[in-house]
Amino acid sequence: MKILYFVNISSFFNSHFLTLALRAKEEGYDIHLLVGDEDKKEEYESLGINYHAIPLTRDGTKLFSEIKAIYYIRNKILDIKPDILHCFTIKPILYAGLSNLFSKSNRSLNVYSVTGLGSASLSESFKGKLFWFFLLSLYKLAFIQKNTVGVFENEDDKLTFIKDKVLLDKNSFLVNGAGIDTKKYVPNENKLNSTNKEVLLVARMLKDKGIREFIEAAEILYKRKSNCKMSLVGDIDPENISSLSLNEINEAVKEGYVVYLGYQSDILSLYQNADVACLPSYREGLPKSLIEAASCGLPIITTDVPGCRQMVDNGKNGILVEVKNSLALANSIEFLLNNTDLLIDMGNNSRKIAVEKFDYKHVLNSFMNIYRIAKK
């Protein structure tokens, strides 16, 4: 049995779903990876994964290049003849779906993981809503084949696709993200108590991640002379129209509102030395950063939106705040940091939730059960 995984970039697959591929390999599957770069080729081939790099851009603005990519994808799928094709994120799903319309193969199952609906689903403008309608139409084409199932990370996204008749309920599954090694991401039992508590946000520096609201909340707390450290960790993404500029971040740093650490590879130690995890995002699939934080025993402050609300039992392991409300965010941070016993209790509850819901053994078993449909 062959599985072909299809992703945009290898770094995403490496951080989220490599463990899934290795588990499938242990189950006896022959693993192939179709990806838009060669960054991990040597490393993955040493793991016994067949690596296929393809010409795939992020923006998709050059029509001829995109048509060429779809044609290339079609030929690769026909050549590999996978029993299972598993695609992650918007572009791989849509391009694989379109390529399937113009080909026939012996593949028994298409698994399309919708890891979030993206910025397009959030737009309130006429142009933005029109583009979202266009994307939904493409999704319908991608899911039209009867041997196709959808995997979602939260109930809201799943219900959106069912309501808009992209797919049927019987063909949709919920899986708790990508999973995490809860034996690696553990609380720091030796962390020193400090009066200067740290609130940590780990994400790309995008408006949709609530970075501006975090900075505005940091400014409010700074002017209140609250004794806390507001830290940002993550890349600037100049290719994303939602990205903040480095100048905007540096201005907040210069004013003393936030600390900006940029991209960091050792997220574990950052969480183990922080006190609260924060992500005031506008919408998520299921944020891996908050799963990691929960596993490290941190209370969570996040927004009451799809994907984020799934991470918090409000008042038990964290606090949900209104989206795009910097004042509510600042007040919640201040309240939690001023109530040490509650902060500790919420952190302990986060750890329990992570172990019970997000550990690899649960998540990977969910994917294996979906794959077994192909064997029926």
Side-chain angles (χ1 to χ4, degrees):
M1 297 279 286
K2 293 181 185 178
I3 299 180
L4 173 60
Y5 292 106
F6 180 19
V7 295
N8 235 350
I9 53 176
S10 60
S11 59
F12 169 78
F13 189 76
N14 196 64
S15 63
H16 286 70
F17 294 106
L18 175 59
T19 304
L20 170 62
L22 295 177
R23 167 66 183 277
K25 189 173 184 297
E26 289 176 2
E27 296 267 338
Y29 290 98
D30 180 20
I31 308 299
H32 293 254
L33 177 64
L34 191 62
V35 62
D37 62 66
E38 296 189 355
D39 295 354
K40 298 287 183 179
K41 181 177 175 64
E42 187 175 329
E43 177 185 343
Y44 279 21
E45 287 181 343
S46 71
L47 295 172
I49 295 174
N50 301 281
Y51 198 100
H52 310 273
I54 58 171
L56 198 64
T57 61
R58 283 186 62 187
D59 56 22
T61 57
K62 296 179 181 178
L63 182 59
F64 179 76
S65 296
E66 302 310 304
I67 293 173
K68 183 179 177 181
I70 293 172
Y71 179 77
Y72 194 93
I73 292 162
R74 170 186 174 274
N75 289 342
K76 271 293 180 183
I77 293 173
L78 289 173
D79 180 52
I80 296 168
K81 295 182 176 62
D83 299 282
I84 301 171
L85 170 64
H86 192 166
C87 302
F88 302 90
T89 71
I90 296 174
K91 197 167 190 176
I93 292 172
L94 297 184
Y95 281 23
L98 291 173
S99 72
N100 286 340
L101 293 177
F102 305 104
S103 64
K104 294 181 179 179
S105 72
N106 296 321
R107 201 170 50 253
S108 58
L109 184 68
N110 301 316
V111 180
Y112 293 159
S113 281
V114 181
T115 57
L117 300 190
S119 303
S121 67
L122 300 171
S123 178
E124 294 296 326
S125 69
F126 174 77
K127 183 178 178 181
K129 289 180 179 179
L130 188 63
F131 182 63
W132 176 239
F133 176 80
F134 173 69
L135 279 182
L136 280 177
S137 300
L138 291 180
Y139 270 124
K140 288 178 182 180
L141 289 176
F143 280 92
I144 199 170
Q145 292 186 331
K146 64 180 181 181
N147 58 333
T148 299
V149 299
V151 177
F152 300 87
E153 297 185 344
N154 66 70
E155 187 73 21
D156 297 270
D157 289 355
K158 175 185 169 184
L159 291 177
T160 294
F161 271 52
I162 294 170
K163 177 178 67 70
D164 290 325
K165 299 181 179 180
V166 176
L167 81 169
L168 299 175
D169 185 34
K170 67 178 183 179
N171 295 328
S172 62
F173 297 86
L174 274 178
V175 176
N176 286 325
I180 190 173
D181 183 353
T182 58
K183 294 179 180 178
K184 174 184 175 182
Y185 284 84
V186 295
N188 181 2
E189 302 296 341
N190 299 314
K191 184 171 66 176
L192 298 175
N193 288 325
S194 171
T195 55
N196 188 27
K197 303 293 185 185
E198 182 179 18
V199 181
L200 184 64
L201 189 161
V202 177
R204 286 180 296 160
M205 298 295 103
L206 306 180
K207 301 180 186 77
D208 297 346
K209 299 294 184 182
I211 305 302
R212 278 186 175 163
E213 286 77 13
F214 185 84
I215 291 173
E216 289 167 1
E219 180 180 358
I220 292 169
L221 294 170
Y222 179 84
K223 291 178 178 177
R224 289 179 182 175
K225 302 187 185 305
S226 294
N227 198 17
C228 67
K229 176 183 176 184
M230 301 284 282
S231 299
L232 287 168
V233 174
D235 274 334
I236 302 289
D237 188 358
E239 293 186 49
N240 193 311
I241 59 172
S242 180
S243 182
L244 272 72
S245 69
L246 184 58
N247 285 340
E248 289 177 278
I249 302 293
N250 284 339
E251 186 63 29
V253 172
K254 186 174 74 173
E255 293 294 333
Y257 305 148
V258 299
V259 173
Y260 178 53
L261 301 176
Y263 171 80
Q264 296 288 317
S265 58
D266 187 7
I267 298 300
L268 173 58
S269 65
L270 290 171
Y271 277 133
Q272 287 183 327
N273 290 289
D275 299 282
V276 176
C278 182
L279 185 66
S281 178
Y282 300 174
R283 188 178 185 121
E284 293 286 327
L286 197 62
K288 186 176 177 68
S289 63
L290 292 187
I291 295 173
E292 292 170 340
S295 191
C296 288
L298 293 187
I300 293 168
I301 297 177
T302 189
T303 38
D304 189 9
V305 298
C308 292
R309 67 169 69 104
Q310 278 74 15
M311 288 302 307
V312 170
D313 185 348
N314 199 23
K316 183 178 180 182
N317 75 306
I319 300 173
L320 293 174
V321 298
E322 182 184 19
V323 69
K324 299 182 182 181
N325 190 330
S326 306
L327 179 60
L329 182 62
N331 289 341
S332 295
I333 291 170
E334 189 170 50
F335 169 77
L336 187 53
L337 295 183
N338 287 338
N339 289 272
T340 303
D341 290 343
L342 181 61
L343 186 148
I344 293 171
D345 287 343
M346 285 185 172
N348 291 334
N349 288 330
S350 276
R351 172 65 184 175
K352 291 176 185 176
I353 290 170
V355 171
E356 292 170 1
K357 292 179 63 175
F358 301 112
D359 187 84
Y360 275 137
K361 67 182 179 183
H362 306 305
V363 174
L364 298 185
N365 283 340
S366 296
F367 278 114
M368 291 304 112
N369 288 334
I370 294 169
Y371 290 168
R372 288 185 186 106
I373 295 172
K375 295 181 178 180
K376 293 180 180 179

